[in-house]
Amino acid sequence: MLEDKNQERTSLEKLGEFGLIDHLTKNFKINHKSTLKGIGDDAAVFDHTEKTVLTTDLLIEGVHFDLSYMPLKHLGYKAVMVNLSDVYAMNATATSITVSLAVSNRFPLEALEELYAGIALAAKVFNVDLIGGDTTSSSSGMLISITAIGEAKEKEITYRSGAKPNDLLVVSGDLGAAYMGLQVLDREKEVFKVNPNNQPDLSPYSYIVERQLKPEARKDIVELLKEMEVLPTAMIDISDGLSSEILHLCKSSKVGCNLFEEKIPLDPTVISACEEFNVDSTMVALSGGEDYELLFTISQNDFDKIKGNPSLTVIGHMTDEREGAYLVTRGNTKIELTAQGWNSFNSDN
Ligand code: ADP
Ligand code: MG
């Protein structure tokens, strides 16, 4: 919606595949000693001293992103973040990424430069090496697949399966903002379709729009936990919404859970946006998704170490598997959690 019609446009055919790869990747530097060979051979080579973790994600235009309000630089940044978030959720350090791209000839070189500017910024800020990828054409639209590689000491890797009854359930940051940011952007897109001269004022929504367009993977939380000498018993990142991630932890760890509604961390701008859009803020936190916060469990013995940290909130505790997974509401009723939020979504509670 903010497209500048006077931009320069260099067609991709002019460069050819190898010229394009070279042009997009020439300014990337290798920073990790463990990267023995990056771009430029048939495969990358690395030498990790610890265990290697690897994760990959596929993002498709029209399914996972909408270029009418997602600037390409943000898209490149976000595509890296969603992968790094998975590496951090294993309590690992991310070291490198590969970027595979399919683009239709509707995109000029300048568009891919923007995309790679976002990828480069993410790689710099999070200290990961771009070590390879693949580039091909698509008959329509854009596809991006990023793979992130990291390393961790074997005994520090946190699986989803390690939570025990009585462990505390902890979340970083706050929830629901990315979803509400998307609601604002969707609304502005509809307004723009009717009146293209209407430039939206998004300033009251800057936090939630930024959380949607420029999420930050929580590398800092992994570092914080190390500093505090807290090893989570289980961990997952929140990509699909709190509720579904809690259920993943419960299923993998064979435990139940009590989640306390009043403890769920919400930014004040999320609460006001929920009022404006007439949606329940707890529902948004449970089902909204794309928060890219970390959700983890710790032994009760570690509570004193995390107590009072503004980046971490205890939102519940794990129970015996037979007790099931529940939301305990402000009114002190227990509602069974489902992947969609809670069981009675369609009833009038
Ligand atoms: P191959 O034919 O062996 O697949 P390519 O010609 O596709 O090799 O790629 C040449 C080099 O450039 C490889 O090191 C590859 O990993 C890297 N590369 C290709 N496309 C990209 C991209 N979009 N981003 C980063 N590196 C890329
Ligand atoms: Mg190739």
Side-chain angles (χ1 to χ4, degrees):
M1 83 184 129
L2 304 168
E3 210 173 316
D4 177 357
K5 298 278 184 290
N6 301 318
Q7 278 167 347
E8 232 182 287
R9 295 177 67 88
T10 311
S11 96
L12 293 179
E13 282 127 52
K14 256 176 133 178
L15 280 132
E17 185 189 330
F18 301 119
L20 174 65
I21 295 170
D22 188 50
H23 182 83
L24 293 175
T25 61
K26 63 175 188 271
N27 292 326
F28 282 82
K29 304 251 172 328
I30 297 297
N31 288 316
H32 287 271
K33 277 207 305 275
S34 59
T35 307
L36 302 184
K37 180 73 194 176
I39 292 167
D41 213 309
D42 296 311
V45 182
F46 42 70
D47 177 24
H48 284 159
T49 39
E50 307 298 344
K51 298 288 177 233
T52 299
V53 303
L54 184 143
T55 173
T56 193
D57 259 293
L58 178 60
L59 299 174
I60 296 175
E61 184 180 355
V63 179
H64 303 103
F65 58 90
D66 181 340
L67 289 175
S68 59
Y69 49 62
M70 188 80 175
L72 279 156
K73 186 173 177 184
H74 285 75
L75 178 63
Y77 192 89
K78 183 169 177 174
V80 177
M81 283 312 116
V82 303
N83 279 279
L84 296 189
S85 181
D86 283 322
V87 172
Y88 300 137
M90 301 304 289
N91 202 30
T93 306
T95 54
S96 45
I97 53 168
T98 67
V99 176
S100 296
L101 212 55
V103 277
S104 72
N105 55 14
R106 135 180 162 238
F107 292 94
L109 175 65
E110 289 73 16
L112 298 189
E113 285 174 345
E114 278 296 297
L115 181 76
Y116 268 73
I119 293 171
L121 179 62
K124 184 167 169 239
V125 173
F126 286 79
N127 190 25
V128 292
D129 293 341
L130 176 66
I131 58 160
D134 201 19
T135 310
T136 187
S137 57
S138 120
S139 51
S140 74
M142 180 184 281
L143 284 83
I144 308 171
S145 176
I146 294 192
T147 296
I149 298 138
E151 63 176 324
K153 290 200 174 82
E154 186 168 12
K155 59 179 192 312
E156 291 181 353
I157 297 176
T158 50
Y159 296 96
R160 295 178 180 182
S161 53
K164 298 272 176 294
N166 300 320
D167 280 356
L168 300 175
L169 181 67
V170 187
V171 70
S172 66
D174 56 71
L175 300 176
Y179 177 83
M180 291 317 294
L182 185 61
Q183 302 315 300
V184 169
L185 289 167
D186 266 335
R187 182 177 68 185
E188 297 312 324
K189 184 180 168 185
E190 293 309 311
V191 172
F192 182 79
K193 276 189 199 156
V194 179
N195 182 2
N197 296 319
N198 186 5
Q199 278 294 327
D201 176 17
L202 295 178
S203 52
Y205 306 104
S206 56
Y207 176 67
I208 60 177
V209 167
E210 185 152 324
R211 291 276 285 168
Q212 169 59 223
L213 295 181
K214 194 171 176 287
E216 303 286 351
R218 299 307 307 257
K219 180 186 190 209
D220 59 327
I221 297 296
V222 172
E223 291 165 351
L224 177 71
L225 290 171
K226 275 206 175 71
E227 254 167 55
M228 293 171 153
E229 296 179 3
V230 174
L231 181 63
T233 51
M235 185 147 69
I236 190 168
D237 71 320
I238 303 186
S239 50
D240 294 336
L242 180 62
S243 187
S244 121
E245 315 304 359
I246 288 176
L247 291 175
H248 282 308
L249 288 182
C250 287
K251 189 164 178 241
S252 296
S253 297
K254 299 192 172 57
V255 291
C257 177
N258 286 326
L259 163 70
F260 295 93
E261 181 179 25
E262 63 181 358
K263 303 285 188 199
I264 297 173
L266 299 169
D267 189 82
T269 56
V270 171
I271 295 169
S272 57
C274 285
E275 280 165 9
E276 191 182 331
F277 283 80
N278 200 20
V279 287
D280 184 290
S281 57
T282 301
M283 192 66 208
V284 166
L286 287 176
S287 314
E290 295 202 286
D291 290 310
Y292 299 108
E293 295 294 343
L294 291 173
L295 177 72
F296 55 93
T297 53
I298 61 168
S299 154
Q300 291 210 9
N301 299 334
D302 284 334
F303 175 64
D304 281 344
K305 299 184 192 163
I306 69 147
K307 193 172 62 182
N309 191 294
S311 303
L312 301 175
T313 311
V314 177
I315 55 174
H317 59 258
M318 310 322 270
T319 57
D320 195 275
E321 187 178 22
R322 282 164 303 182
E323 290 181 40
Y326 285 90
L327 173 75
V328 181
T329 67
R330 285 193 186 84
N332 213 24
T333 44
K334 281 182 96 173
I335 301 174
E336 193 173 4
L337 286 173
T338 69
Q340 286 74 40
W342 59 66
N343 237 347
S344 40
F345 180 34
N346 292 319
S347 81
D348 44 12
N349 94 87

